Amino acid sequence: MKPIHLNLAARPFRDYRPVYAAVIVMALLTAFLALNNVDTLLRYQTETKTTRADIAKLEEQTADEQRKAETLAQRLRGVDLKLLSSQTEFANTQLAERAFSWSELLDRLERVLPDNVRLQSVNPTFDKDGLVHLGMTCIAKTGDGLSATLNNFNGNPNFANAFPTTEAQQQGEYRFTLGVDYRPSIARRVE
């Protein structure tokens, strides 16, 4: 036998209350999460306002420094290196000449020159390696003053390459010029 179901309703009965409750709970949860997102966004914007301002300031400073670096790089590209090099070489030569010890040179010349030879003038020129070339004019009482002077210069370790350039006899004196390389005790190199 078949059970009898009596359904006297005009339409079938369906209980939608659980569905409506689920929809309402989901809607409330969605609204809560949306408000939480808005609150998080507002807190993020207020809390990071100073940090974003600091970042913007640092980016501006970085751009300013890059502009300055580019300006300096352009100025460096515009420097005349040949002129600067020649000016530096001139300054170094002047410094080497001013640092030259005349008293040391004159003491050594006094020991090297023979007794019958008098020094009239000395003209130093400075090489880049620290060597000094001396152009000297001397006056001797006798004719062998030139050869004695050359021998003394060539025998002294502070002097080298002594070579006469002129020799003349005037009024009983023998005048001669010679060139000699001089090694000072402290050689000042011209860079």
Side-chain angles (χ1 to χ4, degrees), residues 18-189:
V19 173
Y20 292 145
V23 168
I24 289 172
V25 168
M26 294 300 278
L28 288 175
L29 184 63
T30 303
F32 173 74
L33 291 176
L35 287 175
N36 190 23
N37 283 344
V38 169
D39 180 54
T40 303
L41 175 67
L42 292 175
R43 276 188 294 120
Y44 169 77
Q45 288 179 344
T46 57
E47 290 174 0
T48 61
K49 185 176 184 179
T50 58
T51 305
R52 284 183 285 127
D54 290 343
I55 290 173
K57 187 186 337 178
L58 288 174
E59 287 175 348
E60 183 180 322
Q61 287 176 351
T62 302
D64 188 40
E65 292 299 324
Q66 287 175 344
R67 284 190 298 274
K68 287 179 183 177
E70 182 61 32
T71 302
L72 291 175
Q74 287 176 353
R75 285 182 58 195
L76 281 176
R77 282 186 228 116
V79 171
D80 186 3
L81 293 178
K82 289 181 181 179
L83 176 64
L84 187 61
S85 174
S86 67
Q87 288 174 343
T88 303
E89 185 176 325
F90 175 76
N92 287 339
T93 303
Q94 292 297 316
L95 289 173
E97 289 176 11
R98 291 188 191 271
F100 181 68
S101 175
W102 281 96
S103 58
E104 178 186 47
L105 172 64
L106 294 175
D107 287 343
R108 289 183 178 174
L109 286 174
E110 183 179 4
R111 286 187 220 119
V112 170
L113 287 174
D115 291 335
N116 63 348
V117 176
R118 185 178 74 206
L119 182 64
Q120 186 175 13
S121 68
V122 178
N123 182 21
T125 55
F126 299 87
D127 290 340
K128 290 185 179 189
D129 61 355
L131 192 69
V132 180
H133 183 75
L134 302 174
M136 298 188 296
T137 304
C138 300
I139 300 173
K141 294 180 182 176
T142 62
D144 65 341
L146 174 62
S147 60
T149 302
L150 289 175
N151 289 337
N152 288 354
F153 275 125
N154 288 328
N156 191 303
N158 296 314
F159 298 95
N161 303 326
F163 193 79
T165 53
T166 62
E167 181 182 13
Q169 180 181 5
Q170 295 175 347
Q171 303 168 355
E173 294 180 329
Y174 296 89
R175 179 182 297 267
F176 59 91
T177 59
L178 59 101
V180 64
D181 292 334
Y182 169 60
R183 293 182 191 95
S185 60
I186 300 174
R188 288 164 177 86
R189 297 184 182 277

